[in-house]
Amino acid sequence: MFRNLTVEQSIHEAYVEAIRRAERFIYIENQYFIGGCRLWEKDRHCGCRNLIPIEIALKVVSKIRAKQRFAVYIVIPMWSEECLRVQRVGDILHWTRETMKMMYKLIGEAIKESGEPAAGHPRDYLNFFCLANREEEGKGEFHPPRSPHPATQYWNAQKYRRFMVYVHSKLMIVDDIYILIGSANVNQRSMDGQRDTEIAIGCYQQSKIGEDKMSGGDIHAYRMSLWFEHTGSADELFRSEPQSLECVQKMRSIGDQMWRIYSDEEVVDMEGVHLVTYPVHVTRDGSVEDLADNDGNFPDTRTPVKGRRSILLPPVFTT
């Protein structure tokens, strides 16, 4: 009966092929980032077996071993769009944390194996960010006639004037010469080939003879417009050397500073800069830990950043 059944996985294959061909850097924006469960610390048999996170980590590992620079920037939302009280959100955060732990562990092991202090820290190669906004009250600002119930998440968000900017895009840019963009999330539902229906397009822009591969094209311009929107900066490092340690440190510095502003008790305007570091602490050996502030929860919530595995929901619903 199923002899002629075809599983359509061309989007997954396109991601994997592009990652394997990457030479300098990868930039990803996606609503979800979950995969590689066979190498997770927990829940290895949950079925979230797409290879995209593993391929990215192994690409970084190969570059460390070859003593070459490489950088990966991944932008995801703080949490999925449902109400934080829904069990599904805790599950997705749990899968996301397991994915991060797997990737940073592989990179940390590669740095240790290199035996060279210059090999650096896992965040010199891989960084996760999210987007957020915080504004001081402006003159003549509208005040709603009714207030949310005190001490609720929405009430806290209004009081402290901070909100996440939801990431719903699904794109990957490789070396400023290839872009993959469409409807597919980096999770098993989108990449399985037998579940959600997805569409994507991959575009390659070949550089002219004698021209720097990463200069001047439309894909490069698109990435720069995104980075300017997120950081408020068009730094020369962003344009010419996104793979460099200096560029990584610049982006990381912006993200870390904005997270401090976003998570602090005092309301300070973020002044149009939205890039914040995803709230985890990564150690030199690649361990992923909770931040000390807010008891490991997202600001204004009681939801742990590391998520909480549901005892009721089957993984097929949330991976």
Side-chain angles (χ1 to χ4, degrees), residues 169-207:
S169 47
K170 302 98 166 50
L171 66 92
M172 179 173 73
I173 293 173
V174 176
D175 295 337
D176 276 352
I177 59 174
Y178 180 79
I179 182 170
L180 184 59
I181 186 168
S183 68
N185 292 306
V186 179
N187 61 5
Q188 198 59 30
R189 284 181 58 179
S190 288
M191 298 298 168
D192 189 83
Q194 302 179 86
R195 294 168 67 179
D196 287 7
T197 300
E198 308 288 4
I199 189 169
I201 183 171
C203 302
Y204 174 72
Q205 187 166 32
Q206 189 172 12
S207 57

Side-chain angles (χ1 to χ4, degrees), residues 28-78:
I28 289 175
E29 290 187 13
N30 208 281
Q31 185 181 4
Y32 299 96
F33 195 82
I34 305 169
C37 68
R38 299 296 168 81
L39 295 183
W40 288 358
E41 186 178 291
K42 303 175 183 176
D43 300 298
R44 293 186 175 183
H45 302 291
C46 70
C48 192
R49 59 189 182 277
N50 81 78
L51 298 176
I52 295 167
I54 290 179
E55 290 288 344
I56 291 173
L58 293 180
K59 169 59 69 170
V60 173
V61 167
S62 70
K63 291 293 185 177
I64 292 171
R65 290 173 176 167
K67 297 181 174 60
Q68 297 174 353
R69 273 301 305 164
F70 195 82
V72 182
Y73 308 88
I74 300 175
V75 179
I76 57 177
M78 291 188 196

